Amino acid sequence: MVTPEGGGGVGHRILVIGAGVMGTGITTLALRHGVSVTLVDTSEAILAAARTRIAAELRMAQLVAGPAETDPGVLDTATSALPAIGGADAVIEAVVEDASVKADVLATVSAAAPGTPIITNTSSIPVDELADAVKRPEDLLGTHFMNPSYVIPTVEVIRGPRSGEAAMAAVAELLAVLGRKPIVVKDAPGFVTSRLLHPMINDAARIVREGTASAEDVDALMTGCLGHPTGPLRTADLIGIDNLVDALSVLHKRTGDERSRPCDLLLGMVRDGHHGRKTGRGFYDYEEVFR
Ligand code: NAI
């Protein structure tokens, strides 16, 4: 158990699987709040890039949110989840938005540590679709941390029909340690936030494709007229165009809503490797690329 006061817990250590945009952001958040992290991905090269990114994010978090209030947690990295799983208070899975990849990862960790709360961090996949893969479905629930996780104060928490009280309580405690406000919703494709945000981004991309307005002007209108913090297309670059298309595809398949069918412009960007901030090019160009 992790406690906000820092006492009584078993080590304040979590396992984060997937060292991409979200895995590194969640790791940054945890380290700043004194929670130690073992971060897992498939290669040492990805993990080295993740360490660089986390160092930059820790500096950014300090600028945006001020100095950390506790001693930082310790960061370890590994190419296998299994050696570190025993001492983990919770496991956060943040691998790609692909139900079969997620199911494989969840099956492995749940078999190794039954009773440990397991969180799948997903934009769109219903938690209950993944629950059959885990040994104890009651250990599993979903989160939708927003990006950047070390800045955004609220976390959408998804309670699947089989998520158990103990796992829900443990994750509420973890989020309290991390200074995050949970909003618990029921299980559905895209939950609340992606169900609303992703079709809007898809429409914004269609507007650019049709030539009605440039990406800059779409974002300027949405920020200047409607109070959106960055505009939908800058948000798309921050999310990652590949991840956006994966999540739109899940939404489209599960709901049948044509607004969620990934539009040609987004599909072409994925084909061309223009995945947004993480590749240096999306709707905008970026100088700083982490991998
Ligand atoms: P990403 O593509 O940046 O990173 C995914 C990472 O998972 C990669 O580093 C990849 O090497 C790793 N991975 C793939 N298979 C693996 C395996 N078997 N074991 C260990 N690592 C593996 O993806 P991102 O954006 O970090 O998304 C992760 C999850 O979080 C997705 O489910 C996504 O939908 C969700 N999410 C993403 C948000 C965003 O703004 N990008 C926001 C909220 C949720």
Side-chain angles (χ1 to χ4, degrees):
M1 183 193 295
V2 182
T3 58
E5 295 75 25
V10 188
H12 296 82
R13 172 174 288 279
I14 59 173
L15 198 64
V16 177
I17 307 177
V21 171
M22 295 311 295
T24 56
I26 293 167
T27 297
T28 299
L29 173 68
L31 295 176
R32 264 179 66 79
H33 286 82
V35 176
S36 294
V37 178
T38 301
L39 179 63
V40 178
D41 209 301
T42 51
S43 79
E44 290 296 347
I46 293 174
L47 291 167
R51 278 187 179 273
T52 305
R53 184 180 169 104
I54 289 163
E57 288 180 346
L58 284 168
R59 290 193 294 276
M60 180 65 77
Q62 180 146 347
L63 282 176
V64 176
E69 286 168 13
T70 52
D71 290 339
V74 176
L75 174 63
D76 287 323
T77 54
T79 50
S80 166
L82 297 181
I85 204 163
D89 302 311
V91 177
I92 304 182
E93 170 276 307
V95 305
V96 285
E97 188 75 344
D98 177 317
S100 68
V101 178
K102 282 186 182 296
D104 282 351
V105 169
L106 294 170
T108 304
V109 295
S110 70
T116 301
I118 302 176
I119 298 167
T120 176
N121 192 68
T122 164
S123 306
S124 60
I125 302 169
V127 172
D128 210 47
E129 280 189 24
L130 301 168
D132 286 333
V134 300
K135 202 165 177 70
R136 291 173 20 114
E138 61 268 42
D139 293 340
L140 182 70
L141 59 98
T143 58
H144 187 195
F145 276 90
M146 297 286 151
N147 178 20
S149 321
Y150 50 89
V151 175
I152 310 277
T154 302
V155 177
E156 189 175 24
V157 175
I158 301 100
R159 178 173 198 156
R162 290 182 273 172
S163 304
E165 283 305 332
M168 292 299 294
V171 171
E173 283 174 16
L174 175 61
L175 291 173
V177 172
L178 301 179
R180 266 45 203 163
K181 179 183 176 185
I183 306 273
V184 180
V185 302
K186 286 190 183 161
D187 205 14
F191 327 116
V192 174
T193 49
S194 299
R195 179 88 177 268
L196 295 171
L197 176 66
H198 285 44
M200 182 184 73
I201 294 176
N202 204 26
D203 277 345
R206 284 198 188 99
I207 285 169
V208 172
R209 171 60 129 205
E210 291 159 7
T212 307
S214 66
E216 287 83 354
D217 285 349
V218 169
D219 282 347
L221 285 163
M222 292 300 282
T223 54
C225 297
L226 297 180
H228 194 285
T230 60
L233 299 171
R234 264 191 207 287
T235 303
D237 279 357
L238 191 64
I239 291 173
I241 308 297
D242 51 344
N243 178 256
L244 179 67
V245 164
D246 287 343
L248 278 166
S249 302
V250 172
L251 270 175
H252 179 238
K253 278 199 197 104
R254 309 294 198 282
T255 65
D257 174 12
E258 279 303 309
R259 267 188 86 209
S260 301
R261 182 195 289 277
C263 76
D264 288 351
L265 179 55
L266 294 175
L267 292 171
M269 290 169 78
V270 172
R271 259 193 320 271
D272 294 343
H274 300 156
H275 294 182
R277 281 205 68 114
K278 60 185 168 187
T279 59
R281 185 158 175 205
F283 286 96
Y284 300 87
D285 290 332
Y286 304 89
E287 279 177 16
E288 206 175 8
V289 178
F290 291 106
R291 64 197 170 102

Short mmCIF file of all heavy atoms in Angstrom, two decimals, residues 214-274:
data_model
loop_
_atom_site.label_atom_id
_atom_site.label_comp_id
_atom_site.label_asym_id
_atom_site.label_seq_id
_atom_site.Cartn_x
_atom_site.Cartn_y
_atom_site.Cartn_z
N SER A 214 -6.03 26.53 -42.24
CA SER A 214 -4.75 25.90 -41.92
C SER A 214 -4.80 25.34 -40.49
O SER A 214 -5.67 25.73 -39.69
CB SER A 214 -3.61 26.93 -42.01
OG SER A 214 -3.81 27.90 -41.00
N ALA A 215 -3.85 24.47 -40.17
CA ALA A 215 -3.77 23.94 -38.80
C ALA A 215 -3.61 25.09 -37.81
O ALA A 215 -4.25 25.11 -36.75
CB ALA A 215 -2.59 22.96 -38.69
N GLU A 216 -2.76 26.05 -38.16
CA GLU A 216 -2.53 27.20 -37.26
C GLU A 216 -3.84 27.94 -36.99
O GLU A 216 -4.14 28.33 -35.87
CB GLU A 216 -1.52 28.18 -37.87
CG GLU A 216 -0.08 27.71 -37.89
CD GLU A 216 0.24 26.80 -39.07
OE1 GLU A 216 -0.70 26.43 -39.84
OE2 GLU A 216 1.41 26.42 -39.22
N ASP A 217 -4.64 28.15 -38.08
CA ASP A 217 -5.87 28.92 -37.90
C ASP A 217 -6.94 28.12 -37.15
O ASP A 217 -7.69 28.68 -36.34
CB ASP A 217 -6.40 29.39 -39.26
CG ASP A 217 -5.57 30.56 -39.80
OD1 ASP A 217 -4.75 31.12 -39.01
OD2 ASP A 217 -5.72 30.91 -40.97
N VAL A 218 -6.99 26.80 -37.38
CA VAL A 218 -7.93 25.98 -36.61
C VAL A 218 -7.59 26.12 -35.12
O VAL A 218 -8.47 26.38 -34.27
CB VAL A 218 -7.86 24.49 -37.03
CG1 VAL A 218 -8.63 23.61 -36.05
CG2 VAL A 218 -8.39 24.31 -38.45
N ASP A 219 -6.32 25.97 -34.79
CA ASP A 219 -5.92 26.05 -33.37
C ASP A 219 -6.13 27.46 -32.82
O ASP A 219 -6.57 27.62 -31.67
CB ASP A 219 -4.45 25.61 -33.21
CG ASP A 219 -4.30 24.09 -33.25
OD1 ASP A 219 -5.32 23.39 -33.15
OD2 ASP A 219 -3.16 23.62 -33.37
N ALA A 220 -5.84 28.48 -33.65
CA ALA A 220 -6.01 29.86 -33.17
C ALA A 220 -7.48 30.14 -32.88
O ALA A 220 -7.82 30.83 -31.90
CB ALA A 220 -5.47 30.85 -34.22
N LEU A 221 -8.38 29.61 -33.69
CA LEU A 221 -9.81 29.81 -33.45
C LEU A 221 -10.26 29.07 -32.20
O LEU A 221 -11.03 29.60 -31.39
CB LEU A 221 -10.62 29.34 -34.67
CG LEU A 221 -10.54 30.30 -35.87
CD1 LEU A 221 -11.00 29.62 -37.15
CD2 LEU A 221 -11.40 31.54 -35.60
N MET A 222 -9.78 27.84 -32.05
CA MET A 222 -10.21 27.05 -30.90
C MET A 222 -9.65 27.61 -29.58
O MET A 222 -10.32 27.53 -28.55
CB MET A 222 -9.80 25.58 -31.07
CG MET A 222 -10.53 24.88 -32.20
SD MET A 222 -12.32 24.85 -31.98
CE MET A 222 -12.49 23.55 -30.78
N THR A 223 -8.44 28.18 -29.62
CA THR A 223 -7.91 28.78 -28.39
C THR A 223 -8.51 30.17 -28.18
O THR A 223 -8.98 30.49 -27.09
CB THR A 223 -6.37 28.89 -28.44
OG1 THR A 223 -5.97 29.57 -29.63
CG2 THR A 223 -5.70 27.54 -28.41
N GLY A 224 -8.52 30.98 -29.25
CA GLY A 224 -8.94 32.38 -29.11
C GLY A 224 -10.43 32.56 -28.93
O GLY A 224 -10.86 33.47 -28.24
N CYS A 225 -11.23 31.72 -29.58
CA CYS A 225 -12.69 31.87 -29.49
C CYS A 225 -13.33 30.95 -28.46
O CYS A 225 -14.31 31.31 -27.84
CB CYS A 225 -13.35 31.58 -30.84
SG CYS A 225 -12.87 32.68 -32.16
N LEU A 226 -12.76 29.75 -28.32
CA LEU A 226 -13.46 28.75 -27.49
C LEU A 226 -12.70 28.36 -26.23
O LEU A 226 -13.14 27.48 -25.49
CB LEU A 226 -13.76 27.50 -28.34
CG LEU A 226 -14.71 27.74 -29.52
CD1 LEU A 226 -14.95 26.45 -30.30
CD2 LEU A 226 -16.05 28.29 -29.05
N GLY A 227 -11.54 28.99 -26.01
CA GLY A 227 -10.84 28.75 -24.74
C GLY A 227 -10.15 27.41 -24.63
O GLY A 227 -9.78 26.97 -23.54
N HIS A 228 -9.97 26.70 -25.76
CA HIS A 228 -9.21 25.44 -25.71
C HIS A 228 -7.76 25.76 -25.36
O HIS A 228 -7.21 26.74 -25.87
CB HIS A 228 -9.31 24.78 -27.11
CG HIS A 228 -8.88 23.35 -27.14
ND1 HIS A 228 -7.56 22.97 -27.09
CD2 HIS A 228 -9.60 22.21 -27.23
CE1 HIS A 228 -7.50 21.64 -27.14
NE2 HIS A 228 -8.72 21.16 -27.22
N PRO A 229 -7.11 24.98 -24.48
CA PRO A 229 -5.77 25.37 -24.01
C PRO A 229 -4.72 25.43 -25.12
O PRO A 229 -3.87 26.33 -25.10
CB PRO A 229 -5.40 24.31 -22.97
CG PRO A 229 -6.40 23.22 -23.12
CD PRO A 229 -7.62 23.79 -23.78
N THR A 230 -4.72 24.51 -26.07
CA THR A 230 -3.68 24.55 -27.10
C THR A 230 -4.23 24.45 -28.51
O THR A 230 -3.51 24.66 -29.47
CB THR A 230 -2.67 23.37 -26.93
OG1 THR A 230 -3.39 22.16 -27.05
CG2 THR A 230 -1.95 23.42 -25.62
N GLY A 231 -5.48 24.08 -28.67
CA GLY A 231 -6.03 23.80 -29.99
C GLY A 231 -5.95 22.30 -30.26
O GLY A 231 -5.01 21.64 -29.81
N PRO A 232 -6.89 21.75 -31.05
CA PRO A 232 -6.95 20.30 -31.24
C PRO A 232 -5.74 19.73 -31.98
O PRO A 232 -5.36 18.58 -31.74
CB PRO A 232 -8.23 20.09 -32.05
CG PRO A 232 -8.59 21.42 -32.60
CD PRO A 232 -8.03 22.44 -31.67
N LEU A 233 -5.13 20.48 -32.87
CA LEU A 233 -4.07 19.89 -33.68
C LEU A 233 -2.73 19.92 -32.95
O LEU A 233 -1.91 19.00 -33.10
CB LEU A 233 -4.02 20.57 -35.05
CG LEU A 233 -5.37 20.35 -35.78
CD1 LEU A 233 -5.46 21.18 -37.05
CD2 LEU A 233 -5.62 18.87 -36.07
N ARG A 234 -2.49 20.95 -32.14
CA ARG A 234 -1.32 20.87 -31.25
C ARG A 234 -1.50 19.73 -30.25
O ARG A 234 -0.55 19.04 -29.89
CB ARG A 234 -1.12 22.19 -30.48
CG ARG A 234 -0.14 23.09 -31.14
CD ARG A 234 0.27 24.27 -30.29
NE ARG A 234 0.65 25.34 -31.17
CZ ARG A 234 1.79 25.36 -31.87
NH1 ARG A 234 2.67 24.41 -31.73
NH2 ARG A 234 2.05 26.35 -32.69
N THR A 235 -2.71 19.56 -29.78
CA THR A 235 -3.00 18.43 -28.88
C THR A 235 -2.73 17.11 -29.59
O THR A 235 -2.16 16.18 -29.00
CB THR A 235 -4.47 18.49 -28.40
OG1 THR A 235 -4.70 19.75 -27.78
CG2 THR A 235 -4.78 17.38 -27.41
N ALA A 236 -3.11 17.02 -30.86
CA ALA A 236 -2.86 15.78 -31.62
C ALA A 236 -1.37 15.49 -31.68
O ALA A 236 -0.93 14.35 -31.49
CB ALA A 236 -3.42 15.93 -33.03
N ASP A 237 -0.56 16.52 -31.92
CA ASP A 237 0.90 16.33 -31.96
C ASP A 237 1.43 15.87 -30.61
O ASP A 237 2.38 15.08 -30.53
CB ASP A 237 1.60 17.65 -32.35
CG ASP A 237 1.58 17.89 -33.85
OD1 ASP A 237 1.08 17.02 -34.60
OD2 ASP A 237 2.09 18.95 -34.26
N LEU A 238 0.86 16.39 -29.54
CA LEU A 238 1.30 16.01 -28.20
C LEU A 238 0.91 14.56 -27.90
O LEU A 238 1.71 13.79 -27.34
CB LEU A 238 0.64 16.96 -27.19
CG LEU A 238 1.13 16.95 -25.75
CD1 LEU A 238 2.58 17.39 -25.68
CD2 LEU A 238 0.26 17.88 -24.89
N ILE A 239 -0.29 14.18 -28.27
CA ILE A 239 -0.74 12.79 -28.04
C ILE A 239 0.15 11.83 -28.83
O ILE A 239 0.55 10.77 -28.34
CB ILE A 239 -2.21 12.62 -28.51
CG1 ILE A 239 -3.15 13.38 -27.59
CG2 ILE A 239 -2.60 11.14 -28.60
CD1 ILE A 239 -4.60 13.41 -28.08
N GLY A 240 0.46 12.19 -30.06
CA GLY A 240 1.14 11.27 -31.00
C GLY A 240 0.11 10.83 -32.04
O GLY A 240 -0.92 10.27 -31.67
N ILE A 241 0.40 11.10 -33.33
CA ILE A 241 -0.60 10.83 -34.36
C ILE A 241 -0.86 9.32 -34.48
O ILE A 241 -1.98 8.88 -34.73
CB ILE A 241 -0.15 11.41 -35.73
CG1 ILE A 241 0.25 12.90 -35.59
CG2 ILE A 241 -1.25 11.24 -36.78
CD1 ILE A 241 -0.85 13.82 -35.16
N ASP A 242 0.19 8.51 -34.27
CA ASP A 242 0.02 7.05 -34.34
C ASP A 242 -0.96 6.57 -33.26
O ASP A 242 -1.89 5.80 -33.51
CB ASP A 242 1.38 6.34 -34.22
CG ASP A 242 2.21 6.79 -33.04
OD1 ASP A 242 1.94 7.86 -32.45
OD2 ASP A 242 3.17 6.07 -32.69
N ASN A 243 -0.74 7.08 -32.04
CA ASN A 243 -1.62 6.68 -30.94
C ASN A 243 -3.05 7.19 -31.16
O ASN A 243 -4.02 6.48 -30.88
CB ASN A 243 -1.05 7.23 -29.63
CG ASN A 243 -1.95 6.91 -28.46
OD1 ASN A 243 -2.66 7.76 -27.97
ND2 ASN A 243 -1.95 5.65 -28.05
N LEU A 244 -3.15 8.40 -31.69
CA LEU A 244 -4.47 8.98 -31.98
C LEU A 244 -5.24 8.10 -32.96
O LEU A 244 -6.43 7.81 -32.77
CB LEU A 244 -4.25 10.38 -32.55
CG LEU A 244 -5.48 11.17 -32.94
CD1 LEU A 244 -6.29 11.54 -31.72
CD2 LEU A 244 -5.06 12.44 -33.68
N VAL A 245 -4.56 7.66 -34.03
CA VAL A 245 -5.21 6.83 -35.04
C VAL A 245 -5.61 5.48 -34.43
O VAL A 245 -6.71 4.97 -34.69
CB VAL A 245 -4.27 6.65 -36.26
CG1 VAL A 245 -4.73 5.49 -37.15
CG2 VAL A 245 -4.23 7.95 -37.07
N ASP A 246 -4.73 4.90 -33.61
CA ASP A 246 -5.08 3.63 -32.96
C ASP A 246 -6.35 3.80 -32.11
O ASP A 246 -7.26 2.96 -32.14
CB ASP A 246 -3.94 3.14 -32.05
CG ASP A 246 -2.76 2.62 -32.84
OD1 ASP A 246 -2.92 2.33 -34.04
OD2 ASP A 246 -1.66 2.51 -32.25
N ALA A 247 -6.39 4.87 -31.33
CA ALA A 247 -7.54 5.08 -30.44
C ALA A 247 -8.80 5.39 -31.23
O ALA A 247 -9.90 4.90 -30.91
CB ALA A 247 -7.24 6.20 -29.44
N LEU A 248 -8.67 6.18 -32.31
CA LEU A 248 -9.84 6.45 -33.16
C LEU A 248 -10.36 5.15 -33.77
O LEU A 248 -11.57 4.93 -33.87
CB LEU A 248 -9.47 7.42 -34.29
CG LEU A 248 -9.47 8.91 -33.91
CD1 LEU A 248 -8.76 9.73 -34.99
CD2 LEU A 248 -10.89 9.43 -33.70
N SER A 249 -9.44 4.27 -34.17
CA SER A 249 -9.86 2.99 -34.77
C SER A 249 -10.63 2.15 -33.76
O SER A 249 -11.64 1.51 -34.10
CB SER A 249 -8.65 2.20 -35.27
OG SER A 249 -7.93 2.96 -36.20
N VAL A 250 -10.16 2.12 -32.52
CA VAL A 250 -10.89 1.40 -31.48
C VAL A 250 -12.28 1.99 -31.32
O VAL A 250 -13.30 1.28 -31.31
CB VAL A 250 -10.14 1.44 -30.12
CG1 VAL A 250 -11.00 0.86 -29.00
CG2 VAL A 250 -8.82 0.70 -30.21
N LEU A 251 -12.36 3.31 -31.24
CA LEU A 251 -13.66 3.98 -31.07
C LEU A 251 -14.57 3.67 -32.25
O LEU A 251 -15.75 3.37 -32.07
CB LEU A 251 -13.44 5.50 -31.00
CG LEU A 251 -13.21 6.11 -29.63
CD1 LEU A 251 -12.89 7.59 -29.77
CD2 LEU A 251 -14.46 5.93 -28.77
N HIS A 252 -14.02 3.77 -33.46
CA HIS A 252 -14.83 3.54 -34.65
C HIS A 252 -15.37 2.12 -34.67
O HIS A 252 -16.57 1.89 -34.88
CB HIS A 252 -14.00 3.84 -35.90
CG HIS A 252 -14.75 3.62 -37.17
ND1 HIS A 252 -14.35 2.75 -38.14
CD2 HIS A 252 -15.93 4.13 -37.62
CE1 HIS A 252 -15.23 2.74 -39.13
NE2 HIS A 252 -16.20 3.57 -38.84
N LYS A 253 -14.48 1.15 -34.41
CA LYS A 253 -14.92 -0.26 -34.45
C LYS A 253 -15.94 -0.57 -33.36
O LYS A 253 -16.90 -1.29 -33.59
CB LYS A 253 -13.71 -1.17 -34.25
CG LYS A 253 -12.93 -1.40 -35.52
CD LYS A 253 -12.05 -2.65 -35.43
CE LYS A 253 -11.00 -2.61 -36.52
NZ LYS A 253 -9.67 -2.25 -36.05
N ARG A 254 -15.71 -0.02 -32.16
CA ARG A 254 -16.58 -0.42 -31.03
C ARG A 254 -17.90 0.35 -31.02
O ARG A 254 -18.87 -0.14 -30.48
CB ARG A 254 -15.89 -0.18 -29.68
CG ARG A 254 -14.50 -0.75 -29.51
CD ARG A 254 -14.47 -2.26 -29.53
NE ARG A 254 -13.25 -2.80 -28.96
CZ ARG A 254 -12.07 -2.86 -29.58
NH1 ARG A 254 -11.92 -2.38 -30.80
NH2 ARG A 254 -11.01 -3.40 -28.98
N THR A 255 -17.95 1.58 -31.58
CA THR A 255 -19.18 2.38 -31.49
C THR A 255 -19.89 2.51 -32.84
O THR A 255 -21.06 2.86 -32.88
CB THR A 255 -18.88 3.82 -31.00
OG1 THR A 255 -18.08 4.49 -31.99
CG2 THR A 255 -18.15 3.82 -29.66
N GLY A 256 -19.15 2.28 -33.94
CA GLY A 256 -19.75 2.45 -35.27
C GLY A 256 -19.90 3.91 -35.66
O GLY A 256 -20.43 4.22 -36.74
N ASP A 257 -19.42 4.82 -34.83
CA ASP A 257 -19.57 6.25 -35.10
C ASP A 257 -18.60 6.67 -36.23
O ASP A 257 -17.39 6.60 -36.06
CB ASP A 257 -19.27 7.02 -33.81
CG ASP A 257 -19.25 8.52 -34.01
OD1 ASP A 257 -19.71 8.98 -35.08
OD2 ASP A 257 -18.79 9.23 -33.10
N GLU A 258 -19.16 7.12 -37.35
CA GLU A 258 -18.32 7.47 -38.51
C GLU A 258 -17.39 8.66 -38.23
O GLU A 258 -16.34 8.80 -38.86
CB GLU A 258 -19.19 7.79 -39.73
CG GLU A 258 -19.66 6.55 -40.45
CD GLU A 258 -18.51 5.64 -40.92
OE1 GLU A 258 -17.58 6.13 -41.58
OE2 GLU A 258 -18.55 4.44 -40.61
N ARG A 259 -17.77 9.50 -37.29
CA ARG A 259 -16.88 10.65 -36.94
C ARG A 259 -15.55 10.15 -36.40
O ARG A 259 -14.56 10.88 -36.41
CB ARG A 259 -17.53 11.52 -35.85
CG ARG A 259 -18.33 12.69 -36.37
CD ARG A 259 -18.75 13.57 -35.22
NE ARG A 259 -17.74 14.55 -34.85
CZ ARG A 259 -17.58 15.05 -33.62
NH1 ARG A 259 -18.35 14.64 -32.63
NH2 ARG A 259 -16.66 15.96 -33.39
N SER A 260 -15.54 8.91 -35.91
CA SER A 260 -14.30 8.38 -35.32
C SER A 260 -13.47 7.60 -36.33
O SER A 260 -12.38 7.14 -35.99
CB SER A 260 -14.62 7.47 -34.13
OG SER A 260 -15.33 8.18 -33.17
N ARG A 261 -13.93 7.44 -37.57
CA ARG A 261 -13.11 6.73 -38.56
C ARG A 261 -11.90 7.60 -38.87
O ARG A 261 -12.07 8.76 -39.29
CB ARG A 261 -13.90 6.49 -39.84
CG ARG A 261 -13.11 5.73 -40.90
CD ARG A 261 -13.78 5.83 -42.26
NE ARG A 261 -15.02 5.09 -42.35
CZ ARG A 261 -15.10 3.78 -42.61
NH1 ARG A 261 -14.01 3.10 -42.83
NH2 ARG A 261 -16.26 3.19 -42.66
N PRO A 262 -10.66 7.12 -38.63
CA PRO A 262 -9.48 7.99 -38.80
C PRO A 262 -9.45 8.58 -40.21
O PRO A 262 -9.60 7.85 -41.18
CB PRO A 262 -8.29 7.05 -38.57
CG PRO A 262 -8.84 5.87 -37.85
CD PRO A 262 -10.29 5.75 -38.22
N CYS A 263 -9.30 9.89 -40.32
CA CYS A 263 -9.38 10.53 -41.63
C CYS A 263 -8.08 10.32 -42.41
O CYS A 263 -7.03 9.99 -41.85
CB CYS A 263 -9.72 12.01 -41.49
SG CYS A 263 -8.34 13.01 -40.94
N ASP A 264 -8.16 10.54 -43.73
CA ASP A 264 -7.02 10.29 -44.63
C ASP A 264 -5.77 11.04 -44.21
O ASP A 264 -4.66 10.52 -44.32
CB ASP A 264 -7.36 10.75 -46.05
CG ASP A 264 -8.37 9.84 -46.68
OD1 ASP A 264 -8.65 8.78 -46.08
OD2 ASP A 264 -8.89 10.19 -47.76
N LEU A 265 -5.96 12.28 -43.80
CA LEU A 265 -4.78 13.09 -43.45
C LEU A 265 -4.01 12.43 -42.30
O LEU A 265 -2.78 12.29 -42.34
CB LEU A 265 -5.21 14.51 -43.08
CG LEU A 265 -4.09 15.47 -42.67
CD1 LEU A 265 -3.02 15.57 -43.75
CD2 LEU A 265 -4.66 16.86 -42.38
N LEU A 266 -4.72 12.00 -41.28
CA LEU A 266 -4.06 11.35 -40.13
C LEU A 266 -3.40 10.04 -40.55
O LEU A 266 -2.26 9.75 -40.17
CB LEU A 266 -5.06 11.11 -39.00
CG LEU A 266 -5.66 12.35 -38.34
CD1 LEU A 266 -6.73 11.94 -37.33
CD2 LEU A 266 -4.58 13.18 -37.65
N LEU A 267 -4.10 9.26 -41.37
CA LEU A 267 -3.53 7.97 -41.82
C LEU A 267 -2.25 8.20 -42.63
O LEU A 267 -1.26 7.49 -42.47
CB LEU A 267 -4.56 7.20 -42.66
CG LEU A 267 -5.78 6.69 -41.88
CD1 LEU A 267 -6.84 6.15 -42.84
CD2 LEU A 267 -5.37 5.61 -40.87
N GLY A 268 -2.27 9.24 -43.48
CA GLY A 268 -1.08 9.56 -44.28
C GLY A 268 0.08 10.00 -43.41
O GLY A 268 1.24 9.64 -43.65
N MET A 269 -0.21 10.77 -42.37
CA MET A 269 0.86 11.21 -41.46
C MET A 269 1.51 10.01 -40.77
O MET A 269 2.72 9.95 -40.59
CB MET A 269 0.30 12.20 -40.44
CG MET A 269 -0.08 13.55 -41.06
SD MET A 269 -1.02 14.60 -39.93
CE MET A 269 0.29 15.22 -38.88
N VAL A 270 0.69 9.05 -40.38
CA VAL A 270 1.25 7.85 -39.73
C VAL A 270 2.13 7.10 -40.73
O VAL A 270 3.25 6.69 -40.41
CB VAL A 270 0.13 6.94 -39.18
CG1 VAL A 270 0.69 5.61 -38.70
CG2 VAL A 270 -0.61 7.63 -38.05
N ARG A 271 1.62 6.93 -41.96
CA ARG A 271 2.40 6.21 -43.00
C ARG A 271 3.73 6.90 -43.24
O ARG A 271 4.76 6.26 -43.42
CB ARG A 271 1.61 6.20 -44.31
CG ARG A 271 0.92 4.89 -44.59
CD ARG A 271 0.42 4.79 -46.02
NE ARG A 271 -0.16 6.00 -46.56
CZ ARG A 271 -1.45 6.33 -46.46
NH1 ARG A 271 -2.28 5.56 -45.81
NH2 ARG A 271 -1.89 7.45 -47.02
N ASP A 272 3.74 8.25 -43.21
CA ASP A 272 4.96 9.01 -43.51
C ASP A 272 5.87 9.16 -42.29
O ASP A 272 6.91 9.82 -42.37
CB ASP A 272 4.59 10.40 -44.04
CG ASP A 272 3.89 10.30 -45.40
OD1 ASP A 272 3.99 9.23 -46.04
OD2 ASP A 272 3.22 11.28 -45.79
N GLY A 273 5.47 8.62 -41.16
CA GLY A 273 6.30 8.72 -39.95
C GLY A 273 6.23 10.09 -39.27
O GLY A 273 7.08 10.40 -38.44
N HIS A 274 5.22 10.88 -39.61
CA HIS A 274 5.07 12.19 -38.96
C HIS A 274 4.11 12.03 -37.78
O HIS A 274 2.91 12.29 -37.89
CB HIS A 274 4.55 13.23 -39.96
CG HIS A 274 5.47 13.41 -41.13
ND1 HIS A 274 5.06 13.88 -42.35
CD2 HIS A 274 6.79 13.18 -41.26
CE1 HIS A 274 6.07 13.92 -43.18
NE2 HIS A 274 7.15 13.50 -42.54
#
